[in-house]
Amino acid sequence: MSDLAHDLVLIANAGDGTISTLRMERREEPRLEMIATSVAGQGCSTFAIDAERDLVFAAYKGEPAGIVTLKLDRTTGELHPVSRRDVDASMTYLALDASRSFLLGASYGGGFGEVWPVGNEGDLGEATAHVEFANLHCVVPDRGHAYFVSLGDDLIAQYDLGEDGTLTPIDPATIAQPDGSGPRHLIIHDENAYLITEFSGEVIRHDVGADGSLAPAESVSIVDPSAGLKHSRFGADPTQEGLVWGADVHRAGRWVIGSERSASTLATVALDAAGHLGEVADFAPTETRPRGFAVTDDGQFVIAVGEKSTDAALSRVEDDGRLTVLARVGIGRGANWVRIIAGH
């Protein structure tokens, strides 16, 4: 964790087509303060941050859909457009590789993923790679590899990401997930990968091999049993049928946290010393319909938003895994994506 006074928090408000910039104070009792709201584009719901160059790459919907590169002013929190690139269908997930030389995207509606080179000013060049799977929901670059999560095909596609931005399948090229589970978001931490599923509401841990290949290990449900939710399916309306609706996953030190939208909860799952999944320590109520949240780099705090809430909630991760809400601050409509720039 940085020893500086505060972090910057960026939140996408899909309902307003904006990104909110908040300051998170650290010196005394942690708190959030809204400092700016910037236009990003219709339905903005994912972005990636190059903190070294203060660039934000944000996806927007429309005809055509596209990705806008924005320059962050750290003093005011404002974001200013730099360049745009049209895409064939709106992006559901964006991520930068470790070198910040390539931006990777996954399109749920388009069923494809792409890789674009990033220029010196943040402009995006022509795609260097293109893959196709049903309802891609996530892409994660990690240590020279790239993982595309297909909700529609119940799999993770895994590749080596070349220095030229090309994708070469790892053997095996795809890793099957449980039928009808709806794989959604993935995070990787050292030798462990944690996948959350939308329809079954599980976190599934995978071992990460030396060659980057994933191998499913154990899983745990992040669905509050008192909510009475049933296994969901593709095309169903969870709000009408009382179905599981898993969404986002992040690691917080010795915990993994997963969000579930039907009951609006954050489940905290214990990890052992090797990062293997243990029991759920807490089902914490949070903002209504929590599609996205983020964890500070020290694992001590969670910032959560809800698609049906106009607040962001700051919580502390207690020693027993429970979440204690410390503050709330008003943001925009349809908030669904949170990222933190540490130690401003």
Side-chain angles (χ1 to χ4, degrees):
M1 182 188 74
S2 169
D3 59 0
L4 295 180
H6 62 264
D7 300 339
L8 289 179
V9 181
L10 271 59
I11 296 172
N13 307 299
D16 296 333
T18 62
I19 295 177
S20 297
T21 305
L22 293 78
R23 182 182 292 115
M24 179 180 166
E25 297 291 347
R26 295 286 197 115
R27 282 198 175 96
E28 298 176 355
E29 187 72 6
R31 65 186 183 90
L32 293 173
E33 177 189 4
M34 170 74 78
I35 59 174
T37 300
S38 306
V39 174
Q42 177 186 339
C44 174
S45 61
T46 180
F47 56 81
I49 300 173
D50 179 346
E52 296 296 320
R53 294 189 287 177
D54 290 335
L55 295 174
V56 176
F57 303 87
Y60 56 87
K61 299 179 180 179
E63 296 294 339
I67 300 169
V68 58
T69 302
L70 302 152
K71 182 73 172 180
L72 171 65
D73 182 325
R74 291 203 182 210
T75 301
T76 65
E78 295 177 347
L79 296 165
H80 303 283
V82 173
S83 62
R84 296 180 184 271
R85 165 158 288 279
D86 293 346
V87 293
D88 290 337
S90 61
M91 293 292 116
T92 306
Y93 204 109
L94 293 174
L96 286 162
D97 77 322
S99 71
R100 306 182 307 280
S101 299
F102 295 97
L103 181 71
L104 292 79
S107 174
Y108 181 91
F112 68 86
E114 289 190 336
V115 180
W116 302 274
V118 180
N120 292 333
E121 303 302 320
D123 52 302
L124 300 181
E126 295 297 326
T128 55
H130 177 97
V131 299
E132 295 186 4
F133 295 93
N135 306 112
L136 281 179
H137 217 303
C138 175
V139 58
V140 176
D142 181 76
R143 291 170 286 184
H145 310 295
Y147 306 89
F148 290 84
V149 180
S150 169
L151 182 145
D153 289 332
D154 287 323
L155 60 79
I156 302 172
Q158 50 186 10
Y159 299 89
D160 288 324
L161 176 61
E163 293 183 358
D164 58 355
T166 56
L167 295 172
T168 303
I170 297 174
D171 185 18
T174 60
I175 305 298
Q177 304 304 309
D179 288 346
S181 61
R184 185 178 170 89
H185 284 181
L186 178 76
I187 57 171
I188 298 177
H189 190 278
D190 296 331
E191 309 311 315
N192 297 292
Y194 305 95
L195 172 75
I196 192 167
T197 61
E198 180 167 332
F199 301 148
S200 60
E202 301 170 273
V203 169
I204 305 173
R205 187 186 69 82
H206 294 66
D207 292 313
V208 182
D211 63 350
S213 61
L214 304 184
E218 73 276 2
S219 65
V220 63
S221 174
I222 55 92
V223 180
D224 184 350
S226 69
L229 301 173
K230 297 174 290 185
H231 193 293
S232 191
R233 64 192 184 281
F234 193 86
D237 185 344
T239 64
Q240 296 299 313
E241 300 183 48
L243 305 178
V244 171
W245 207 4
D248 203 7
V249 62
H250 294 282
R251 183 160 173 166
R254 59 191 181 92
W255 312 96
V256 160
I257 302 175
S259 66
E260 196 285 314
R261 287 174 286 181
S262 288
S264 297
T265 55
L266 296 174
T268 308
V269 182
L271 301 174
D272 67 14
H276 298 179
L277 298 171
E279 300 296 321
V280 176
D282 188 29
F283 295 102
T286 189
E287 301 305 299
T288 305
R289 200 177 294 178
R291 185 180 185 270
F293 67 98
V295 176
T296 53
D297 61 346
D298 57 9
Q300 294 184 3
F301 301 98
V302 175
I303 298 170
V305 299
E307 292 177 299
K308 294 298 183 180
S309 169
T310 54
D311 286 338
L314 169 65
S315 299
R316 181 173 54 235
V317 183
E318 306 294 357
D319 290 342
D320 62 359
R322 295 184 182 276
L323 301 181
T324 300
V325 177
L326 303 176
R328 283 189 166 89
V329 64
I331 48 173
R333 297 181 302 116
N336 54 20
W337 194 268
V338 187
R339 291 294 182 264
I340 301 169
I341 303 174
H344 176 61

